[in-house]
Amino acid sequence: MTYYEDFSPGSPNRLAPRSWVRSSAPTLSLGGDWKFKLWPHADAPLEDPADWDTLPVPSHWVLHGDGKYGRPIYTNVKYPFPVDPPFVPDANPTGDHFRTFTLPDWDIDRFVLRFDGVESTYKVWLNGAEVGVGKGSRLPTEFDVTDLLAPGENSLLVRVHQWSSATYLEDQDQWWLPGIFRDVTLLGRPAARVDDVWVRAEFLDGHGVLTPEVTGSFPITLSVPTLDVSVTWQSAADVAPISVGPVEPWSAESPRLYDCTVASADETVHLRLGFRTVRIEGDQFLVNGRKVMFYGVNRHETHPVLGRVFDEDYARENLLLMKRHNINAIRTSHYPPDPRVLELCDELGLWVMLECDLETHGFEFDESIVDNPSDDPRWRDQFLDRMHRTVERDKNHPSIVIWSLGNECANGRNLAAMAQWTHERDPGRPVHFERDLASAYTDMHSRMYATLEELAQIGTTGCGHGGIRPEEIVRQRHRPFVHCEFGHAMGNGAGSLADYQAVYERYPRLHGGFIWEWRDHGILTKAADGTPFYAYGGDFGEVVHDGNFVMDGMVLSDGTPSPSLVEYAAVIAPIVFGDEPGTFRSRYHSVDTSDVEFSWARTVDGREVERGVLEVLPAPPGESGVFELPEQALDVAVDSETWLTLEAVSGHLVGSRQYQLSQRSPVSVTPTKGLGGAVFDPRTGSLLRIGSVPINGPRLELWRAPTDNDARAGEWLWRERGLDRLEHRVLDVRIGDDEVIVAVRVAAATAARSVDVTYRWFGVPDGVGLRVDAVPSQGWDCTWPRIGVRFELPAVDQVSWFGTGPLESYSDSATAARVGRFESSLDDLNVVYAKPQETGHRPELRRLILDNRLRIDTVPDRTGHSPGFSLSRHTPQQIAAAAHPHELPPSDRVYLFLDNAQHGLGSAACGPDVLPEHALYPAAHSFTITLRTHS
């Protein structure tokens, strides 16, 4: 059996895994330009690299060479080759990487060659001598190369195979990107060195306790200068716990770090300690004695140009963006990230569920596939090796509060062995694995994409999953529950995040969860005509792929936060204002509200008239507070719409709520003589012009360009019912001096289901009014995407409105929306999702002004409800037909949609569909608007 297809975790001469640390020992980075040659198969000859191409390291070879070195492949579950473990196809792209380097003149004892990340299996030669084999793409491997180095110039050859037996354990939902994508480093190891170090820093009753574990050349000294700690051990037997007195604890909200050094005679290792204690007590997950709620995201390593190559500025900005949107936790889906990411999590403050580099999801794709590695003893060593390397590399990080065995592997004895080893190695952190449904060997109950009903069941009876025995349910009931994936944020979504948060807070056993996921994985490429765009599955000609399922983040590929991120930030905001103004509660885990600035603002008809700062006494973490509002904050304007807005800011917005103090003043709809300069088509009754503004419509619209969630829920039925191809038959047109009445029947070919629509036009001062009455026939058996009308207009550049904003919102994604006056360019109204889809809806419109030429006012119904609006350069049918934004046709027209309602968003792309209360079921709808020229 070949080395790249055997069951071993790598060659036996690999060094034992150890902590990734900052060290004073000398290092030589071997990054830079390497010689490179790509072979189509694994058993290529070793040849002279003189005529090879040049490739940067770290990198993925498929992201270089404009296709010369192959292309990226995206699959979610499926393996992109026949499932025949541990064997892989003969067609196995293999990249030879070669460089020379000059051996530094270091006064050291040993040399170690370190690889921090190589996909997938690789063999190393130094000066023509074989060094060893490495496996485990997102995990480090070290080799002692002291005896293979020579003074002066040395040559290094690394052969990387894209496919290997290890690939069967790395079937994560991401691009397959082969190559040396993390650092390659030559480490100098001095004679008197620190081989490995682990300093556990616990927080107990306000005091700190250090429990060090050190191997190396004694004497070794541990120092924490700010705590006046300096201890020297003469031998390993002397190493013992150290009480350090009062300390500030580390938490995601207050990430207090203490600089620590561990020094031998020739090497000093630098650590940053965070004192915190993780405990599970009953069904509560506690850090420093307080329950943790995870307002988290799943984070892959992805960059639109670099792939998984680390860029520190980019990583820092992403984590800061999380913090600015109230996110407090990361699940490292589904592998350990570059270790510098964890340094940033320690520094910035994020709870981390650190996941092992392990997933065998493709074994579940086809029932004919057998021998899942999770329960196959032949794979045991690889499973355990991956967990060893995960824990040992990252054990010093205070941000890591949970170890996760992996993702979407079948339950099995190899996972149980991993959990057993991890519990023995690190009793101070619990172990997670979602597929351990019975919590047989892990410390918490976990699920993916559970419905609200399932969560309620989990919160009460302890189990929301079938097939669990009664005694296992009892065990589960005494475990904390973490929702490791929920809220699939693909495209325009996810919906119902506020509904989920409400359930998390209702049941003490629930501890929140992690949105799937943080960022779209688009790869920046060019179309045939040179147009740049962000590619997803299938755009590189893959034989097997999963389309745009890789574009499922709350941040777009270009770094733009999507409305779903703003919605999530509002849903999980640390400060929650009460139903009545003057109260709030804190969701903070470990800090009080002394650093929060509270303010109020009062608006009348969307215009701010007054604001002020509130004096609020600090509330302890997790507690409630009260405050007094000045009298003027609650003043009500006569015959106007008055709103009070409360905000809490601590570096960024950490809480907001609006209170309506008075209803909007009625819009004049008293009919007048004439039709306000409106011109109608005598045949169809359509409006052609108002004043000098050409306009065409209205036209009933039930269709929206399907969102990614729609596409995996009811879109097929919408299309089958013909909602995307409605035909309009004018039944009657009556044009008089003071009114126009048009009756239209709307239906799709092959269908008898229809909607009867009556448009009643009437004059209003300086314009024209329109009442729309839509009544569905019997027999409708599907939801509607929308119910509204469409107008066609010439080009529009600037838009201002009084209504909800500033971003798009829908019935199940409206926590971040507020009422006010907003302005935007036309194009900024809509989100450029990776796959074009419904975007830009803003409900409850009061007034809309287009280019200061046309004004539309809505008339509230008896419940106070008004239609919403959206504007687009394309029809929903055109948008739905495009696979990418750059494929939309040129347009010199603008389409205005006035929707009385829209279907919710849900998260059916991977999760529950739209909740019934947010679904749009066929029903009669009536709404009224007025149109006027504006100047």
Side-chain angles (χ1 to χ4, degrees), residues 404-568:
S404 180
L405 303 180
N407 182 69
E408 291 176 319
C409 302
N411 204 358
R413 71 192 77 178
N414 294 335
L415 277 302
M418 292 168 69
Q420 181 181 23
W421 178 88
T422 306
H423 282 127
E424 293 172 355
R425 181 67 178 118
D426 183 13
R429 293 181 177 102
V431 175
H432 164 274
F433 181 56
E434 178 264 339
R435 293 299 174 93
D436 180 19
L437 297 175
S439 300
Y441 49 83
T442 51
D443 302 302
M444 55 188 61
H445 184 194
S446 182
R447 285 288 307 283
M448 294 180 180
Y449 308 108
T451 66
L452 295 172
E453 292 77 13
E454 288 172 315
L455 288 177
Q457 187 178 3
I458 289 168
T460 51
T461 68
C463 180
H465 192 280
I468 305 298
R469 297 192 300 268
E471 65 272 20
E472 294 171 334
I473 294 175
V474 172
R475 183 170 59 234
Q476 272 191 341
R477 192 179 298 140
H478 294 87
R479 298 280 200 275
F481 175 85
V482 175
H483 211 175
C484 66
E485 291 182 22
F486 81 104
H488 197 265
M490 187 175 180
N492 189 348
S496 286
L497 298 182
D499 298 306
Y500 274 95
Q501 184 58 36
V503 173
Y504 295 148
E505 295 186 359
R506 188 175 305 138
Y507 301 101
R509 183 178 173 232
L510 309 185
H511 288 68
F514 300 83
I515 292 286
W516 187 269
E517 65 168 301
W518 169 242
R519 189 172 181 128
D520 282 358
H521 295 223
I523 294 177
L524 186 60
T525 187
K526 291 182 179 180
D529 63 358
T531 302
F533 73 101
Y534 292 97
Y536 51 72
D539 288 332
F540 296 107
E542 303 103 300
V543 175
V544 174
H545 65 86
D546 284 302
N548 69 318
F549 208 68
V550 77
M551 306 297 232
D552 47 13
M554 293 191 297
V555 179
L556 306 184
S557 296
D558 65 358
T560 302
S562 75
S564 69
L565 179 57
V566 180
E567 173 74 3
Y568 191 42

Side-chain angles (χ1 to χ4, degrees), residues 676-679 687-695 767-768 854 931-933:
V679 178
L687 179 64
L688 299 178
R689 182 181 301 277
I690 179 167
S692 63
V693 180
I695 185 171
V768 64
L854 181 65
L931 297 89
R932 295 175 172 90
T933 56

Side-chain angles (χ1 to χ4, degrees), residues 796-802 804-808 821-831 840 842 848-852 869 871 873:
V796 173
D797 294 320
Q798 290 299 124
V799 181
S800 61
W801 74 98
F802 173 27
T804 59
L807 302 177
E808 67 189 28
R821 290 184 182 263
F822 308 96
E823 295 183 355
S824 174
S825 67
L826 174 71
D827 291 329
D828 286 344
L829 285 173
N830 301 313
V831 180
R842 289 162 173 85
L848 175 67
I849 298 174
L850 307 178
D851 279 344
N852 279 320
F869 84 98
L871 285 156
R873 297 189 187 277

Side-chain angles (χ1 to χ4, degrees), residues 766-786:
D766 303 320
V768 64
L770 168 65
R771 176 183 170 93
V772 178
D773 293 289
V775 180
S777 69
Q778 296 287 328
W780 283 97
D781 59 354
C782 67
T783 56
W784 286 345
R786 71 188 332 150

